[in-house]
Amino acid sequence: MKTALASSLTLLSLVVSLAPVSASSNRDLEKEVAAGITGQERQIMIDVMKNLPKEERENVIYIDDNGQIHANKTELKDVFGKVTVSEENTIAGSNNETFTLPKSTDSPTLNKSASVTPLAGYACGEAGGPYRRVFSNPGYSWWSGNVYLPSSANNEVYVNNASSNDTPYIYTGGHASSGASEVDAGFQYSKTYNNWAHSIFTGGVYYHNNSFRFKAGQNLTFKFYVPADGQVALYAAGIRYDTNTADNYTVVTNVAGWKKSGAGNELKRITAIASNAPKPYSTGTYLKNVKWSNSMIGTSSTSNHQWLASDTGGYCTYPNSTQVSVNYVNAGEETVSINMN
């Protein structure tokens, strides 16, 4: 993920819809931005939130081109932050925990030396650890579904960091037709806390939830979509680890080339373990029972359908079906397990 992204992705200037907003809608937006958010920041959040469904505007975080964090509530402004990636392709988390990032999404559209045409999809090759990828045909800008977050308490995830900093991931995202705007948006596992953090990697920069994580051992609802040209949003709803209560968040960031119409966009779903260990991967780390279900794909919350074979550009199980096993139901529903033995 990092190799392809860092060399080719750029966060560009804020792009927001300038469509008129009705008086009633504007009043709703004003109510959904806390009184403590004032001045230019308040207007920035209103401009971002007007493109989001009402039910996904409760807790909104927006990352601008400079990496500055804006939010519709003051207490959310410190939740997300930019994380420095080391030369070893790792980041430092809380409690001195180290996470490894996937290295490359292996997209031919991002590989300038590959003799392929744009929108050829994703190659099935090295990405810094074993993974399962399903990607769509071009033409989509909205995905929603459920995914099960494995728990060490259920013997579904184990990270052996004796010789490497293996890190499990469950994420979506994709790329736009320009081939310069790959996005990875989803969840990163913490072996220290047995929970999953909201995260987005785009523009060669990794943004990570600093304080809020989702509880392991639950079915999470999440969505990835284009709220306006040049922006992407990740919405997630589930049980918080710290409070054991239901909550939801929407994180929006600018990404050049993405179209709300879906033109040129390819979406993806990935289950992976990022590792710095050499191949063959044999650290003993595993990730089991990642069930993707209720996958819907389209161009909006009102223009979508079940993700089926006709929507699918391809599949990849890397390095092989022994290390990465898939219980396949259809293109939108499958259960993935990865065993690094």
Side-chain angles (χ1 to χ4, degrees):
M1 178 167 66
K2 176 174 178 285
T3 301
L5 296 176
S7 64
S8 59
L9 306 182
T10 11
L11 286 175
L12 299 184
S13 59
L14 172 62
V15 180
V16 296
S17 170
L18 298 180
V21 181
S22 69
S24 60
S25 296
N26 196 51
R27 284 194 295 270
D28 288 341
L29 287 166
E30 286 285 353
K31 293 176 182 178
E32 290 164 345
V33 180
I37 307 299
T38 61
Q40 183 181 12
E41 183 168 28
R42 186 175 189 85
Q43 188 59 52
I44 287 173
M45 290 309 301
I46 288 174
D47 287 340
V48 169
M49 292 169 60
K50 69 185 180 185
N51 298 311
L52 305 177
K54 182 174 176 57
E55 62 273 18
E56 294 168 22
R57 301 199 303 243
E58 181 179 357
N59 299 295
V60 182
I61 297 167
Y62 168 63
I63 305 168
D64 71 16
D65 297 324
N66 299 316
Q68 184 174 350
I69 308 299
H70 306 272
N72 68 329
K73 298 175 182 177
T74 54
E75 63 268 25
L76 297 179
K77 294 180 67 174
D78 295 327
V79 169
F80 246 70
K82 177 181 176 181
V83 183
T84 301
V85 180
S86 74
E87 292 183 0
E88 291 73 34
N89 200 42
T90 62
I91 62 171
S94 58
N95 198 35
N96 296 319
E97 185 171 4
T98 301
F99 303 98
T100 298
L101 301 179
K103 291 181 179 177
S104 171
T105 52
D106 258 338
S107 167
T109 58
L110 300 180
N111 184 350
K112 304 309 179 184
S113 63
S115 56
V116 297
T117 56
L119 297 176
Y122 290 87
C124 191
E126 170 63 32
Y131 65 91
R132 166 68 172 182
R133 179 196 296 122
V134 181
F135 66 92
S136 77
N137 288 318
Y140 300 107
S141 56
W142 189 93
W143 173 85
S144 75
N146 298 106
V147 68
Y148 176 73
L149 303 179
S151 172
S152 61
N154 300 332
N155 196 33
E156 296 166 327
V157 56
Y158 168 73
V159 176
N160 182 3
N161 280 350
S163 59
S164 65
N165 294 301
D166 295 342
T167 307
Y169 289 89
I170 297 170
Y171 60 97
T172 182
H175 60 250
S177 59
S178 64
S181 47
E182 187 79 18
V183 176
D184 295 324
F187 307 93
Q188 176 199 72
Y189 181 72
S190 167
K191 71 180 182 66
T192 301
Y193 299 105
N194 184 35
N195 57 25
W196 294 82
H198 216 153
S199 61
I200 293 180
F201 199 156
T202 184
V205 182
Y206 190 81
Y207 296 96
H208 188 264
N209 195 315
N210 298 315
S211 59
F212 166 77
R213 286 177 174 263
F214 286 102
K215 189 175 182 179
Q218 67 170 311
N219 282 303
L220 191 75
T221 297
F222 76 114
K223 303 176 184 180
F224 174 80
Y225 59 94
V226 182
D229 286 354
Q231 290 185 345
V232 297
L234 177 68
Y235 168 83
I239 305 300
R240 290 176 58 143
Y241 171 79
D242 54 345
T243 63
N244 203 35
T245 58
D247 212 340
N248 66 86
Y249 284 78
T250 303
V251 181
V252 180
T253 189
N254 298 342
V255 190
W258 283 79
K259 300 296 184 183
K260 184 174 175 60
S261 67
N265 304 337
E266 291 177 337
L267 305 185
K268 65 186 179 183
R269 309 190 320 266
I270 293 183
T271 306
I273 298 177
S275 179
N276 286 330
K279 294 185 293 183
Y281 304 114
S282 57
T283 63
T285 296
Y286 58 78
L287 175 65
K288 302 177 181 178
N289 300 329
V290 179
K291 183 177 181 179
W292 298 85
S293 59
N294 300 317
S295 289
M296 304 291 287
I297 194 168
T299 57
S300 72
S301 58
T302 57
S303 179
N304 63 76
H305 55 272
Q306 185 180 5
W307 184 333
L308 296 174
S310 59
D311 304 299
T312 305
Y315 307 85
C316 177
T317 302
Y318 182 87
N320 52 58
S321 59
T322 299
Q323 194 151 66
V324 181
S325 60
V326 180
N327 183 357
Y328 179 88
V329 177
N330 57 51
E333 181 173 341
E334 62 181 27
T335 302
V336 181
S337 295
I338 302 174
N339 194 344
M340 294 177 63
N341 285 325

